[in-house]
Amino acid sequence: MGVYRPAQRGRCARHIRRHRSRHQEEAAMSQSTHHDIEFPAPDGVTLRGVLYVPDRPGPHPAITMAHGYGAVKEMALLRLAATFAEAGFAVLVHDHRGFGASDGTPRQDIDPWKQIADWRRALTYLESRPEVDADRIGLWGSSYAGGHAIVLGATEHRLKAVVAQVPTISGFEQSRRRVAPDNIAALEAALDADERGQLTGEAPRTQALVSADPAVPASYRAQDAVDFYLQELPEGTRWDNTVTVRSTRNARMYEPGVFIERVSPTPLLMIVGEQDTVTLTDTGLAAYNRALEPKQLVMLPGGHFAPYTTEFARASAAATAFFRSHLAPSGE
């Protein structure tokens, strides 16, 4: 398939913190209902999320969603879930273990393979719901979870369509470009000290998830990342600007791009930012070129966080159209 580049339109200069009340505004206009849900992970940890159900007779085609590195569902995902629900889909969006409403210790700890196993269980929970047509389920993941989407798309054939938005393709390559050569020794020393501390009974050490201060150890420093993660969140949202140090080691070892050829024959949509310096535009395009049909590529202007903010309308429209095409909501 060809590359889809949405037509350019004037963009208003708005700060992400203005998105705080969108979920409440859209809920008032929504043609769906939503419920807080919970289900057990494979090891018994309780995972929690929100299930959206269209206000029309079911069973409905469905979408399972999860967020990226260190993020929670209140960071733009509830808004997107409501959009999908209004298009006729049942939608489950859950928080990863150790984040948001989900249980799990240590908090703010990221293990991609545990997140993938948990997400597989979320799929099993979703297909068990009476409101859902278990033969028409798709998966949407973004950033780090976009990498998970590729892995699950390649290994979970209950899925009938997969969207990977600005996905992680190579943790090694991302780290290689983001960590200056002069800082590698200090990073490795911090990882080693954390590992040795855990041997003697210390809790996993933590660092900031985002900070613009170069003196503060952090996963991200770019201003768009700082703005995204430090956005104002609805009252009661559980999120801290910390992440375990060992999460960095896990991220540097994570290579979901090796699964890209195996997603086929499940239809795959990749959404790639033209100036993505986080998960990297060129690695995303290279992975798309390796993917087999059926596949579709949507290029969006802007960087890694644009699909959540300035390019939300176009990113959500592309994903909605893709799911409609492959999951065929009743009545469409």
Side-chain angles (χ1 to χ4, degrees):
M1 296 183 178
V3 178
Y4 171 55
R5 294 177 184 268
Q8 292 292 317
R9 293 182 293 208
R11 291 182 244 164
C12 60
R14 59 190 178 186
H15 197 279
I16 190 167
R17 287 181 174 83
R18 293 184 61 187
H19 293 159
R20 181 178 186 271
S21 63
R22 280 194 180 275
H23 178 52
Q24 291 88 342
E25 293 170 359
E26 289 174 359
M29 301 182 293
S30 176
Q31 297 179 12
S32 65
T33 57
H34 58 276
H35 317 277
D36 293 336
I37 58 88
E38 62 181 48
F39 57 93
D43 61 357
V45 170
T46 298
L47 304 176
R48 297 186 178 87
V50 180
L51 178 68
Y52 290 76
V53 180
D55 289 336
R56 64 182 75 171
H60 307 283
I63 301 167
T64 176
M65 304 173 61
H67 221 323
Y69 195 88
V72 294
K73 62 185 180 299
E74 287 79 7
M75 295 174 174
L77 256 62
L78 294 179
R79 180 185 177 198
L80 181 56
T83 299
F84 288 152
E86 289 164 9
F89 299 95
V91 186
L92 172 63
V93 52
H94 74 278
D95 282 323
H96 294 297
R97 65 171 59 217
F99 287 87
S102 289
D103 290 349
T105 56
R107 302 297 295 178
Q108 310 294 121
D109 185 51
I110 304 170
D111 182 325
W113 299 107
K114 287 184 179 179
Q115 291 184 348
I116 288 168
D118 290 348
W119 204 347
R120 197 182 304 275
R121 186 56 51 87
L123 169 62
T124 302
Y125 171 79
L126 182 60
E127 71 173 3
S128 76
R129 296 286 305 203
E131 308 95 330
V132 168
D133 182 343
D135 293 324
R136 294 187 293 166
I137 298 179
L139 182 143
W140 180 101
S142 191
S143 191
Y144 208 55
H148 302 354
I150 292 170
V151 175
L152 284 163
T155 61
E156 184 49 79
H157 296 288
R158 289 178 291 176
L159 296 172
K160 300 303 187 292
V162 172
V163 175
Q165 177 176 279
V166 293
T168 290
I169 299 298
S170 171
F172 170 78
E173 187 63 22
Q174 288 175 207
S175 178
R176 188 179 71 85
R177 297 196 205 178
R178 214 162 50 227
V179 181
D182 290 347
N183 295 334
I184 291 177
L187 172 60
E188 293 287 0
L191 294 171
D192 293 344
D194 175 57
E195 173 64 22
R196 292 175 181 130
Q198 289 179 63
L199 176 65
T200 61
E202 292 182 14
R205 299 181 184 185
T206 62
Q207 65 179 26
L209 185 55
V210 292
S211 178
D213 183 350
V216 176
S219 300
Y220 300 108
R221 301 195 181 283
Q223 191 59 51
D224 58 349
V226 172
D227 289 344
F228 177 77
Y229 282 104
L230 298 186
Q231 64 182 277
E232 188 175 7
L233 298 172
E235 184 177 354
T237 301
R238 188 177 184 185
W239 183 81
D240 296 308
N241 183 27
T242 58
V243 66
T244 60
V245 170
R246 70 185 186 183
S247 297
T248 298
R249 189 189 295 277
N250 290 336
R252 297 176 80 206
M253 296 167 57
Y254 187 39
E255 298 290 322
V258 301
F259 288 85
I260 193 75
E261 295 94 340
R262 306 180 215 172
V263 176
S264 178
T266 303
L268 171 67
L269 169 64
M270 284 184 60
I271 300 174
V272 177
E274 292 177 350
Q275 292 89 38
D276 191 335
T277 59
V278 177
T279 54
L280 309 174
T281 301
D282 62 307
T283 60
L285 295 178
Y288 178 79
N289 286 336
R290 297 196 307 273
L292 306 179
E293 297 287 352
K295 62 181 180 179
Q296 180 182 349
L297 174 65
V298 171
M299 297 291 295
L300 293 177
H304 185 73
F305 298 95
Y308 309 114
T309 56
T310 56
E311 298 302 319
F312 177 88
R314 283 179 273 196
S316 61
T320 300
F322 179 80
F323 283 130
R324 276 178 166 159
S325 174
H326 295 288
L327 302 180
S330 301
E332 291 295 321

